[in-house]
Amino acid sequence: MDFAEYFPIWNKLTPEEQKILSDSAVPRQVKKGTLLHGGAEDCQGLFLVASGQLRAYIVSEEGREITIYRLFERDLCLLSASCVLQNIQFEVTIEAEKDSSLFVVPARTYKALQEQSAAVANYTSQLMAGRFSEVMWLLEQIMWKSFDRRLAEFLLNETLLEGSSSLKITHEAIGNHLGTAREVVTRMLRYFQSEQMVKLSRGVVEVTDSARLRKLCGE
C-alpha cells in the first residue's frame, strides 16, 4: 500500500510534510470484528482506510449501540485520535465491519502537522464539520422519523452497499446500527415479511420488494 495514494489532500502538502506523514504512517491489516478504538481515553492515532469498511458507534450506559457513521476507502477517522482536538472528548468506538487495510498515523505527528500546515488544518476543520453534520442528520432521523421508515432506508442502503438484495445480517446487528432493541427490529421485520417486502431466514434478510420499501421511505 502506498500512503500517498490514499491521503485525500496529499498534493496540497509540501515535500517535507509528505515525508513526515509517509514515514510515520504504519500499515495495518485487521479482520472483521476487530475493535480498533475504545473511547475518549484511547488516542492511538488517526485511521486512514485503504480498503474495507469501519464502523463508528456510541454506546449508552445500558449497553445499547447506535452507528453514527461508517468509513470507507480513503476516509480518514479523526476520532480515533481525539487528543488532537483540544478540549473535545468523543466517546466513540470504532470497529472493522469487514476485513480492512488501513494506515495508522500517530496522533502527535498529525497534531504537529496540523499546527504548521494550513492545508492540513483546513482539511481537519472540513472533516470535523462533515462528521458533525452526519451526527446532526442522525439525530433528526431518530427524533422525527418513524422506525419503519428508518428500517426501510437502512435495508435499501445495505443492498446498495453490499451489491445484493440478500443481506447476511442479524436482527441484533440491525438494532445496533439503528439504536434500538433487537425485539423491536424483529417485530418490524416480521411485519415487512407479512407484507412481502422482505424474506427472513436465519442470519439473512432478503429484500424482495425494494419498490415498496422506497415508497415507505417516501421516495
Side-chain angles (χ1 to χ4, degrees):
M1 297 188 299
D2 184 0
F3 183 84
E5 181 182 347
Y6 295 97
F7 194 70
I9 57 167
W10 183 258
N11 293 333
K12 296 182 180 181
L13 304 179
T14 66
E16 179 184 2
E17 292 165 350
Q18 291 175 346
K19 187 176 188 309
I20 290 173
L21 275 177
S22 60
D23 287 350
S24 65
V26 178
R28 184 177 175 186
Q29 307 285 333
V30 296
K31 293 292 186 181
K32 177 181 177 180
T34 301
L35 185 66
L36 297 169
H37 174 74
E41 296 180 358
D42 184 1
C43 194
Q44 57 183 297
L46 289 87
F47 299 144
L48 175 60
V49 182
S51 65
Q53 184 174 309
L54 308 184
R55 171 187 174 231
Y57 62 95
I58 54 177
V59 184
S60 71
E61 292 182 358
E62 296 77 22
R64 184 171 296 174
E65 300 176 6
I66 184 168
T67 300
I68 55 174
Y69 58 81
R70 283 156 149 175
L71 297 150
F72 304 96
E73 183 178 320
R74 290 182 171 80
D75 278 343
L76 184 68
C77 184
L78 280 175
L79 301 188
S80 56
S82 55
C83 54
V84 169
L85 308 169
Q86 293 184 357
N87 302 320
I88 299 179
Q89 301 241 328
F90 296 91
E91 292 290 346
V92 172
T93 302
I94 300 167
E95 70 174 2
E97 277 197 304
K98 297 180 179 180
D99 292 350
S100 303
S101 300
L102 56 141
F103 295 96
V104 182
V105 179
R108 288 184 179 180
T109 300
Y110 192 85
K111 184 175 183 180
L113 200 59
Q114 179 183 267
E115 291 173 350
Q116 74 179 46
S117 169
V120 173
N122 289 337
Y123 174 68
T124 302
S125 296
Q126 292 171 7
L127 188 60
M128 288 307 303
R131 295 301 181 210
F132 179 74
S133 295
E134 288 180 274
V135 172
M136 290 303 297
W137 178 87
L138 175 63
L139 288 175
E140 290 178 357
Q141 300 299 299
I142 294 171
M143 293 175 65
W144 310 121
K145 189 168 288 187
S146 62
F147 182 69
D148 58 343
R149 292 183 63 186
R150 291 178 60 215
L151 179 56
E153 287 182 352
F154 175 81
L155 295 175
L156 290 171
N157 288 336
E158 287 297 295
T159 61
L160 293 175
L161 187 61
E162 299 298 328
S164 172
S165 61
S166 184
L167 305 174
K168 295 181 179 180
I169 189 169
T170 65
H171 298 188
E172 182 177 5
I174 295 174
N176 288 341
H177 279 296
L178 300 178
T180 194
R182 175 183 57 82
E183 294 79 8
V184 176
V185 174
T186 297
R187 284 197 296 271
M188 189 59 68
L189 284 174
R190 286 175 177 169
Y191 168 72
F192 283 1
Q193 181 170 246
S194 70
E195 293 294 313
Q196 300 182 333
M197 292 185 283
V198 305
K199 181 179 179 181
L200 305 177
S201 56
R202 190 174 183 85
V204 176
V205 178
E206 181 182 356
V207 174
T208 56
D209 194 337
S210 57
R212 288 188 65 195
L213 286 178
R214 283 194 292 270
K215 185 176 180 180
L216 180 61
C217 296
E219 297 181 9

